Amino acid sequence: MTDPSAASRPVQAVVLAGGQGSRLRPYTDDRPKPMVEIPGTGTPIIGHQLSWLAEEGVTDVVVSCGHLAEVLQKWLETADLPVSVTTVVETEPLGRGGGLKYAAAHLPHPDRPWYATNGDIWTRFSLRDMADFHTERDAVATLALARPRIPWGAVRTDGFGHITDFIEAPPSTFEINAGVYVFSPEFAGLLPERGDHERTTFPHLARERRLAGFPIPQGSYWRAIDTAKDLTEAAKELAAQGR
């Protein structure tokens, strides 16, 4: 039986892989951040991302390169990839929004929806469910939302100021932009030629109630790889999960 929702789910995606990753040095001295390997996996972050996208029905990916682009391009040319990959390199800095617009212009199906993900995100959840959520809300853009763990221990108190409990690295009470997106075809036309879409396009869509937020399901894995500590923690978590 054919799933009627399948027709509205993206089969194409953009991976934003141009960041310098200065907080991950020395790992990023000779490679861009998405090429950093998570210890114990033998695969760079972008390799995990491409596998995940393929599992979720994506067939074509545009990778936006920047810092040490040639290192990433060489790996993509030689690796056995589960999707068709095109790389683009900005000839001049366009900002996050301009870079996303430039990459989107190279998608094979400009009249169809698309996913996007930041190149330093290591996660697993159902993109198909997120795409259905996006369609049901008639959104132009949908952001995945995560509740990252606070890196400090927290305390719980009662109404009289007595400490009643200690909680190690509790989840944040706020949801954050998890760096994974679903975009309708018209979204690319709303992006700035230069500049940051999170300061322009997203607030504009939010005011019009055309921006949705999809909470990553509880128990799903999500981590942004920003520092050496994140690499270490990711390796521990993945080993505990048997991945």
Side-chain angles (χ1 to χ4, degrees):
M1 185 174 176
T2 303
D3 182 353
S5 301
S8 62
R9 293 173 187 155
V11 296
Q12 55 187 355
V14 168
V15 176
L16 297 170
Q20 292 197 6
S22 56
R23 295 171 64 196
L24 258 177
R25 287 177 178 155
Y27 297 99
T28 50
D29 284 346
D30 61 354
R31 68 196 64 192
K33 191 194 292 191
M35 280 299 298
V36 173
E37 293 183 8
I38 296 175
T41 69
T43 303
I45 297 167
I46 194 167
H48 293 288
Q49 291 183 323
L50 295 176
S51 294
W52 174 49
L53 290 169
E55 290 166 7
E56 294 296 323
V58 172
T59 57
D60 294 272
V61 176
V62 176
V63 178
S64 178
C65 309
H67 174 63
L68 296 174
E70 65 281 0
V71 177
L72 178 53
Q73 289 174 317
K74 183 176 180 180
W75 183 83
L76 290 169
E77 288 168 3
T78 57
D80 183 15
L81 302 176
V83 292
S84 175
V85 173
T86 301
T87 60
V88 297
V89 182
E90 296 174 32
T91 55
E92 57 182 319
L94 300 174
R96 290 192 297 177
L100 187 59
K101 187 182 187 80
Y102 180 69
H106 293 78
L107 288 167
H109 309 290
D111 58 338
R112 298 186 64 178
W114 46 293
Y115 297 118
T117 181
N118 295 343
D120 59 356
I121 301 298
W122 172 214
T123 186
R124 280 292 191 281
F125 64 90
S126 174
L127 283 175
R128 291 180 173 91
D129 287 350
M130 184 177 173
D132 293 346
F133 179 96
H134 171 83
T135 300
E136 288 162 4
R137 280 147 189 82
D138 195 27
V140 173
T142 296
L143 287 59
L145 304 177
R147 288 188 186 273
R149 291 196 170 274
I150 298 171
W152 308 283
V155 295
R156 181 174 285 133
T157 60
D158 62 18
F160 295 99
H162 298 120
I163 292 176
T164 59
D165 199 6
F166 293 89
I167 308 162
E168 185 64 30
S172 168
T173 55
F174 291 98
E175 293 175 310
I176 67 163
N177 178 352
V180 180
Y181 312 91
V182 182
F183 296 133
S184 294
E186 62 265 38
F187 180 75
L190 302 175
L191 286 166
E193 297 291 339
R194 279 183 170 76
D196 189 347
H197 60 293
E198 295 193 11
R199 297 178 180 272
T200 55
T201 312
F202 280 173
H204 171 73
L205 290 174
R207 287 191 295 270
E208 295 187 346
R209 297 294 188 269
R210 299 162 73 200
L211 184 68
F214 175 79
I216 294 177
Q218 189 172 7
S220 297
Y221 188 79
W222 179 89
R223 181 177 282 276
I225 308 296
D226 288 323
T227 65
K229 183 179 179 182
D230 289 322
L231 280 177
T232 304
E233 293 297 321
K236 288 180 184 175
E237 290 162 352
L238 295 176
Q241 295 175 21
R243 294 182 180 175

